[in-house]
Amino acid sequence: MAAWHQNSKAHASQLYTTSWGKLRNYTYSGYTGPYYQAFPTPNHAPLPFCLPLIIYSELNSTISITLSLSLSLSLSLSLSLFSLPSVEVSIMVLVESHGEKDGANDGAVVDFRGNPVDKSKTGGWFGAGLILGSELSERICVMGISMNLVTYLVGDLHISAAKSATIVTNFMGTLNLLGLLGGFLADAKLGRYLTVALSASITALGVILLTLATTIPSMRPPYCDDYRRQHHECIEANGRQLVLLYVALYTTALGGGGIKSNVSGFGSDQFDVTDPKEEKAMIFFFNRFYFGISIGSLFAVIVLVYVQDNVGRGWGYGISAGTMVIAVAVLLCGTPWYRFKKPQGSPLTVIWRVLFLALKKRNQPYPPHPSLLNDYENLKVPYTRRFKCLDKAAILDDNCAPNMQKNNSWMVSTVTQVEEVKMVIKLLPIWSTCILFWTIYSQMTTFTVEQATIMHRTVGSFVIPAGSFSALLIISILLFTSLNEKVFVPLARKITHNHQGITSLQRIGIGLVLSTAAMVGAAIVEKQRREVAVNKGVKISAFWLLVQFFLVGAGEAFAYVGQLEFFIREAPDRMKSMSTGLFLSTISMGFFVSSLLVSIVDHVTKRSWLRNNLNKGKLNNFYWLLAVLGLLNFLVFLIFTSRHQYKMQLPIKPESGEKELKSLNDEMIEDSEKKASIQAVGDVEP
């Protein structure tokens, strides 16, 4: 009996049954039910969605009176999450398992000699644990750099606040963008192991160079005392002094991007998802992966930031470099115990090929019926008339003689490939509205840290480093991630009678609202801080920054999971790794938009808003600008979500079926033609 699967706006689990499929129980977002394992598809490389789940959960953790108290509180929250069947883990396992099992027949698993693996001697927890060290070290390095770099640029290199913020956001944006490159190289050619090993080595080199750049005296301008700083007489670092710094930062970004996009996938490769025991172990791997990265992030923002500010930058970055070198050595030493999967090709290649062929055949006439398109009889997703121009990539022209060139993917695409590209394009409107959230988030690593430097940070006799206040963000994320699955989602299920509770788009919307509210709160706090400092000469407590850290952290707990879940659900089944790519690109673009926005504001206001001395600037106006943009972005998001058409699955006959796949598709097309006039009014292409 064939079952239709049609995604709706409130849909938590689905039943798929086909002639080639199999039905199995699966847990998703707290719901246990039937889950269809689709037809085997190429193992499109790492689906490192677990990575995102913490990679950007980087800036939160409650700063308490002492470092040990802060760390213990953070550990307790992380441990509570560790035992939680959280939505992040559910999402990661869903896609990883889906991708692995889909590709089980396409990518052989071998040992380092290229022989079939001996499960008793390779993989499992031992291999996965060695791999986890690479991501832990990458987190320590990147967080140790990004969360406190702005204070070094402003305080030691005497670079303006606006330019310093741009340097940090460009670094983080590039790191996430290069994650796409790392994923593509692993999928298409190098494989996950080689990509992770090379990327970790490059990261180690980058942090070593950064250690030298911040240690060598000639790489810094002359010291500037408080008197000269107040009168803007400090000498800014010149181009020659910044060369090594830039080389170090972008070398680290290159390596970090490669690790980010592959390490979780390589870790999951160490478990055989066809073995129930190992599949269960893989679920715990993602939990521990999340926990491990949280610890790395907390160590960086609490311990390393303290070392950088109170012992020396060279020592702080040197410790980061040392951990990365050790991680590389451990990774390489574990080579005989790993399981390897050969690269099966990147979905990006399919996308570019379809676009290229559609452009190449743009003058070709459309066939009288879609069934005349290449490989229509084997269509694996419903045919749609949206973006019809792309159908030309599947036209069999004179150069594609039947049974000769129709299988040449560079001569003609299949209808399935064309429809999959259409599905990716359909995600772009929602994708575009997710960017501004990360633009707001980036302020937590730049101007918010700058605010902390001129606020009261003393608790007893202990002075909390400005960069360590970002630990508030990490704790906020961990707290709300836990509350989502323990409180909010169960409550939403009772109210909506929907297993999913809160849909992915609703999560994103909540995250956008909270981020906008964070900027309103940040603007109010900054105005009050500046007025008290200027009029009374008093520094207010830096813990007032908890407002923006708390709201942005809460927003990330919703938006992060919502974006990831949305892209995973709506991406084509055979392009699941695209979900991670789309997710990473929103983060990357968010940081780049922040850089662009800071540059524009600095130019238009003639540097009156964003000044080195925040007491003489108007940072609150910049926060208000972000709040207004956030509100407008949310309204656009509502428009796009109201018009978004969720992915549908093709109905397919069972083995004893009564209809052919082709006839089912023809019925769908005929039905869509009958409703053409209605759809013309209701459908709005993105």
Side-chain angles (χ1 to χ4, degrees):
M1 178 177 180
W4 279 89
H5 160 49
Q6 182 173 7
N7 283 343
S8 64
K9 292 186 177 179
H11 204 84
S13 64
Q14 309 86 14
L15 176 65
Y16 300 73
T17 53
T18 73
S19 58
W20 57 68
K22 61 180 179 179
L23 196 63
R24 60 189 287 268
N25 281 334
Y26 201 84
T27 299
Y28 178 69
S29 295
Y31 166 70
T32 301
Y35 175 77
Y36 171 69
Q37 200 61 48
F39 183 78
T41 60
N43 177 28
H44 287 310
L47 303 176
F49 9 85
C50 49
L51 206 39
L53 288 167
I54 207 11
I55 260 177
Y56 290 92
S57 294
E58 7 186 69
L59 307 173
N60 32 98
S61 204
T62 333
I63 265 286
S64 30
I65 290 185
T66 65
L67 292 175
S68 60
L69 179 57
S70 174
L71 184 57
S72 64
L73 176 58
S74 305
L75 287 175
S76 65
L77 283 172
S78 299
L79 284 168
S80 68
L81 183 65
F82 176 73
S83 60
L84 203 83
S86 63
V87 68
E88 291 96 326
V89 175
S90 301
I91 293 171
M92 291 184 288
V93 174
L94 170 67
V95 185
E96 282 287 0
S97 298
H98 187 69
E100 298 298 340
K101 290 192 176 184
D102 285 354
N105 297 334
D106 297 312
V109 181
V110 298
D111 62 17
F112 77 109
R113 299 181 187 276
N115 301 321
V117 297
D118 181 346
K119 292 172 60 176
S120 65
K121 297 180 180 179
T122 61
W125 275 113
F126 182 71
L130 297 178
I131 295 167
L132 186 59
S134 298
E135 176 55 26
L136 177 64
S137 298
E138 187 268 344
R139 280 295 82 211
I140 289 174
C141 291
V142 173
M143 290 294 292
I145 294 171
S146 62
M147 298 313 304
N148 204 35
L149 180 61
V150 69
T151 61
Y152 175 74
L153 298 174
V154 174
D156 293 64
L157 300 186
H158 312 147
I159 299 174
S160 68
K163 185 177 179 181
S164 297
T166 299
I167 291 173
V168 175
T169 51
N170 282 344
F171 164 67
M172 293 300 296
T174 302
L175 188 147
N176 285 283
L177 191 62
L178 289 174
L180 301 181
L181 174 63
F184 174 78
L185 291 176
D187 290 356
K189 190 68 177 178
L190 297 180
R192 296 171 182 173
Y193 167 73
L194 188 56
T195 304
V196 171
L198 290 174
S199 299
S201 301
I202 292 172
T203 302
L205 174 62
V207 183
I208 290 172
L209 292 176
L210 184 61
T211 303
L212 295 176
T214 56
T215 302
I216 301 174
S218 60
M219 293 293 102
R220 298 190 300 272
Y223 173 76
C224 186
D225 56 32
D226 292 338
Y227 176 82
R228 291 187 176 183
R229 195 180 299 276
Q230 293 175 1
H231 291 79
H232 307 287
E233 296 178 356
C234 298
I235 300 175
E236 183 177 333
N238 56 43
R240 182 182 61 82
Q241 293 171 324
L242 292 176
V243 167
L244 184 57
L245 177 70
Y246 284 135
V247 170
L249 288 177
Y250 288 102
T251 300
T252 304
L254 176 61
I259 296 174
K260 178 191 296 292
S261 57
N262 292 287
V263 69
S264 63
F266 186 41
S268 67
D269 286 346
Q270 308 311 306
F271 302 94
D272 181 4
V273 293
T274 62
D275 182 333
K277 183 178 180 181
E278 290 203 10
E279 182 181 24
K280 184 177 181 180
M282 186 178 71
I283 296 176
F284 286 105
F285 165 75
F286 285 120
N287 274 290
R288 294 173 188 179
F289 184 91
Y290 185 80
F291 175 76
I293 301 175
S294 298
I295 297 305
S297 300
L298 291 170
F299 176 79
V301 300
I302 296 174
V303 178
L304 289 186
V305 167
Y306 178 83
V307 172
Q308 291 169 13
D309 285 357
N310 295 277
V311 180
R313 292 278 170 172
W315 281 101
Y317 294 137
I319 293 173
S320 299
T323 60
M324 198 71 242
V325 170
I326 293 173
V328 172
V330 170
L331 179 71
L332 296 178
C333 289
T335 301
W337 292 280
Y338 299 142
R339 299 174 187 174
F340 303 87
K341 289 187 177 180
K342 297 179 180 179
Q344 298 294 314
S346 171
L348 289 176
T349 304
V350 176
I351 294 175
W352 288 119
R353 196 157 50 207
V354 169
L355 297 177
F356 168 75
L357 289 173
L359 179 63
K360 179 181 178 181
K361 299 181 180 182
R362 61 187 180 278
N363 295 324
Q364 291 283 342
Y366 290 105
H369 193 273
S371 62
L372 299 177
L373 295 172
N374 184 37
D375 204 37
Y376 181 85
E377 63 276 10
N378 296 317
L379 189 63
K380 294 179 175 62
V381 293
Y383 174 79
T384 62
R385 297 185 180 277
R386 305 181 78 181
F387 309 110
K388 189 176 180 181
C389 60
L390 295 178
D391 289 353
K392 294 192 174 184
I395 292 177
L396 291 165
D397 56 15
D398 295 337
N399 296 324
C400 304
N403 301 322
M404 292 181 63
Q405 294 292 335
K406 64 181 301 182
N407 294 326
N408 186 337
S409 57
W410 284 105
M411 295 296 294
V412 60
S413 299
T414 65
V415 183
T416 298
Q417 291 172 338
V418 171
E419 289 302 320
E420 288 172 339
V421 173
K422 290 181 182 180
M423 291 167 68
V424 172
I425 294 176
K426 192 177 68 173
L427 302 179
L428 296 182
I430 302 298
W431 173 88
S432 66
T433 58
C434 294
I435 292 174
L436 194 67
F437 174 85
W438 299 106
T439 299
I440 292 175
Y441 173 92
S442 67
Q443 310 314 311
M444 301 301 102
T445 67
T446 53
F447 290 117
T448 302
V449 177
E450 268 295 285
Q451 287 177 274
T453 61
I454 57 174
M455 298 175 76
H456 184 71
R457 296 179 282 117
T458 302
V459 178
S461 59
F462 179 72
V463 179
I464 303 173
S468 291
F469 276 88
S470 57
L472 295 168
L473 184 58
I474 299 175
I475 289 214
S476 177
I477 294 173
L478 292 175
L479 176 62
F480 274 90
T481 299
S482 181
L483 288 175
N484 277 347
E485 299 313 306
K486 289 292 187 181
V487 179
F488 301 141
V489 172
L491 181 61
R493 286 180 184 142
K494 292 181 180 179
I495 296 174
T496 64
H497 304 291
N498 173 11
H499 285 298
Q500 193 176 359
I502 305 174
T503 67
S504 56
L505 289 178
Q506 288 171 345
R507 289 177 187 268
I508 295 173
I510 293 172
L512 295 179
V513 170
L514 289 173
S515 66
T516 301
M519 289 298 95
V520 173
I524 295 173
V525 169
E526 170 59 16
K527 182 179 180 181
Q528 181 66 19
R529 183 207 64 78
R530 184 165 55 86
E531 288 181 352
V532 171
V534 172
N535 298 330
K536 300 181 180 179
V538 177
K539 294 181 179 180
I540 67 173
S541 172
F543 283 97
W544 278 103
L545 298 175
L546 176 64
V547 173
Q548 56 222 65
F549 278 128
F550 183 80
L551 289 173
V552 170
E556 183 177 345
F558 285 97
Y560 203 109
V561 176
Q563 290 177 34
L564 194 60
E565 180 183 1
F566 175 76
F567 292 131
I568 287 171
R569 280 176 169 271
E570 296 300 298
D573 290 337
R574 300 196 304 171
M575 292 187 176
K576 286 298 180 182
S577 59
M578 283 299 303
S579 59
T580 301
L582 288 170
F583 180 78
L584 288 176
S585 63
T586 61
I587 298 173
S588 175
M589 291 302 298
F591 281 102
F592 285 133
V593 168
S594 177
S595 298
L596 177 63
L597 192 60
V598 167
S599 298
I600 293 175
V601 167
D602 205 36
H603 176 73
V604 172
T605 64
K606 298 180 180 179
R607 300 187 177 182
S608 62
W609 284 13
L610 309 175
R611 304 187 65 173
N612 287 4
N613 187 344
L614 296 183
N615 291 335
K616 296 183 178 180
K618 296 179 180 179
L619 180 60
N620 57 302
N621 288 349
F622 181 69
Y623 286 148
W624 279 117
L625 174 63
L626 286 174
V628 171
L629 292 176
L631 177 61
L632 295 176
N633 181 69
F634 178 68
L635 295 177
V636 174
F637 170 78
L638 292 179
I639 295 173
F640 285 156
T641 53
S642 67
R643 298 179 177 181
H644 178 74
Q645 296 179 354
Y646 278 70
K647 182 176 71 173
M648 294 189 304
Q649 291 289 339
L650 190 67
I652 307 172
K653 65 166 188 171
E655 291 186 6
S656 59
E658 305 168 352
K659 294 183 179 181
E660 294 293 332
L661 173 62
K662 180 177 177 180
S663 66
L664 288 172
N665 279 278
D666 289 341
E667 289 178 5
M668 293 172 60
I669 294 173
E670 291 173 4
D671 183 63
S672 66
E673 288 174 346
K674 291 178 183 178
K675 300 177 181 178
S677 59
I678 299 176
Q679 291 177 342
V681 176
D683 284 358
V684 178
E685 293 190 8

